[in-house]
């Protein structure tokens, strides 16, 4: 199976709804993800839901951060995150795709800056592959605005993701050796900018129990969808789950 980048966004939106200093929540959920890789069917997987907001440290699903500077409107942190995107040829049903090399997940190190205003929040983030799987760099520019009601918080968001050529070529490129082995044409991917839209919902069932849901739709850029490994123009992820706040 494969996790896509938009699963990371859907997971992050779980914690963007109503995170407050001192909050700690754990839970479990399920993610439905349409993989753009050929030979994968839609899949549903279980995922943990973890969130902690401290004065100097936070955990927001797959990202941990150390807050270097923070005031009423600004936050800058150093981050360590897990990029779960991977490709396993042994799990692929397509005969040609099953002859390709494995693409592994990796840890990313970088930084994130948030600017909070009455009209919403902006996020700027950049991170590099710390395990040298792809050797690539990823960035994000996004806007989100929590809309709080009595028991329900909705957080719509919109953003763009940047991935450099090394990142894209590792996950979507086809080498000359792979081409000869699989019959797929050789392909080298360039850098890309990927737009997305998303929405998250958090509903308070009891004093401590919350129902969570988030959905993200991603438009694949030409640098990705032109790869012979890809057979879609877009990708969609939906996450639902329950969390308990302490």
């Amino acid at each position: 199976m494969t996790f896509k980048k938009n699963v990371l966004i859907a997971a992050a939106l779980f914690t963007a709804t109503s995170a407050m200093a001192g909050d700690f929540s754990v839970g479990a959920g399920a993610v439905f993800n349409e993989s753009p890789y050929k030979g994968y069917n839609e899949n549903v997987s279980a995922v943990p839901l973890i969130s902690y907001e401290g004065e100097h440290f936070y955990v927001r699903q797959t990202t941990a951060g150390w807050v270097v500077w923070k005031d009423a409107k600004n936050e800058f942190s150093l981050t360590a995150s897990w990029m779960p995107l991977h490709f396993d040829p042994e799990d692929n049903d397509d005969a040609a795709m099953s002859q390709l090399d494995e693409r592994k997940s990796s840890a990313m190190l970088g930084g994130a800056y948030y600017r909070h205003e009455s009209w919403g929040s902006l996020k700027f983030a950049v991170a590099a592959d710390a395990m040298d799987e792809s050797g690539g760099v990823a960035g994000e520019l996004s806007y989100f605005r929590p809309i709080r009601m009595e028991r329900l918080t909705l957080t719509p968001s919109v953003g763009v993701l940047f991935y450099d050529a090394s990142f894209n070529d590792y996950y979507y490129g086809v080498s000359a050796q792979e081409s000869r082995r699989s019959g797929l044409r050789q392909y080298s991917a360039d850098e890309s900018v990927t737009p997305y839209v998303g929405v998250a919902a958090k509903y308070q069932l009891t004093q401590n129990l919350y129902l969570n849901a988030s959905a993200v739709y991603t438009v694949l850029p030409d640098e990705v969808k032109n790869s012979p490994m890809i057979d879609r123009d877009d990708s969609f992820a939906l996450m639902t789950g329950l969390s308990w706040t302490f």
Side-chain angles (χ1 to χ4, degrees):
M1 62 181 296
T2 181
F3 284 95
K4 284 304 298 165
K5 295 185 291 292
N6 56 356
V7 175
L8 286 178
I9 309 168
L13 288 178
F14 268 115
T15 55
T17 49
S18 58
M20 301 292 289
D23 275 359
F24 172 53
S25 66
V26 295
V31 56
F32 167 81
N33 178 51
E34 293 179 326
S35 172
Y37 281 128
K38 292 179 181 178
Y40 285 117
N41 296 318
E42 291 83 3
N43 57 77
V44 178
S45 304
V47 291
L49 304 178
I50 304 173
S51 172
Y52 172 73
E53 293 291 329
E55 184 177 358
H56 299 291
F57 179 76
Y58 62 79
V59 177
R60 299 167 184 167
Q61 286 302 117
T62 57
T63 299
W66 180 262
V67 180
V68 178
W69 171 57
K70 185 176 183 179
D71 60 23
K73 290 188 175 183
N74 303 280
E75 177 190 299
F76 175 72
S77 57
L78 301 178
T79 61
S81 59
W82 184 248
M83 169 60 73
L85 176 59
H86 73 278
F87 170 79
D88 187 349
E90 295 183 358
D91 289 343
N92 198 282
D93 296 330
D94 186 272
M97 293 284 285
S98 66
Q99 300 301 310
L100 299 179
D101 296 332
E102 181 182 6
R103 276 72 165 170
K104 297 181 180 181
S105 304
S106 189
M108 308 287 286
L109 296 178
Y113 170 74
Y114 291 85
R115 174 73 179 185
H116 304 292
E117 296 286 354
S118 59
W119 40 262
S121 298
L122 293 173
K123 175 186 177 182
F124 304 86
V126 63
D129 182 0
M131 299 174 64
D132 202 29
E133 298 295 349
S134 70
V137 174
E140 178 184 359
L141 169 60
S142 60
Y143 165 82
F144 61 93
R145 184 187 181 189
I147 303 171
R148 295 179 174 88
M149 291 163 261
E150 184 176 355
R151 287 180 172 266
L152 176 67
T153 300
L154 294 176
T155 306
S157 65
V158 61
V160 292
L161 303 169
F162 168 80
Y163 298 96
D164 72 358
S166 294
F167 184 98
N168 283 337
D169 201 45
Y170 177 74
Y171 287 106
Y172 307 113
V174 178
S175 68
Q177 184 179 14
E178 288 179 305
S179 178
R180 291 191 295 270
R181 190 167 65 236
S182 67
L184 297 174
R185 63 182 173 86
Q186 185 176 348
Y187 181 74
S188 295
D190 204 349
E191 63 186 31
S192 65
V193 176
T194 305
Y196 73 85
V197 294
V199 63
K202 188 172 185 178
Y203 184 79
Q204 185 176 13
L205 297 172
T206 69
Q207 182 176 355
N208 301 98
L209 185 64
Y210 290 83
L211 175 64
N212 304 271
S214 63
V216 173
Y217 174 75
T218 301
V219 178
L220 299 180
D222 290 341
E223 291 79 4
V224 173
K225 66 184 180 182
N226 288 342
S227 167
M229 299 177 67
I230 304 301
D231 63 357
R232 297 180 61 90
D233 294 330
D234 54 13
S235 191
F236 176 77
L238 172 66
M239 295 183 71
T240 59
L242 292 170
S243 62
W244 184 271
T245 299
F246 297 88

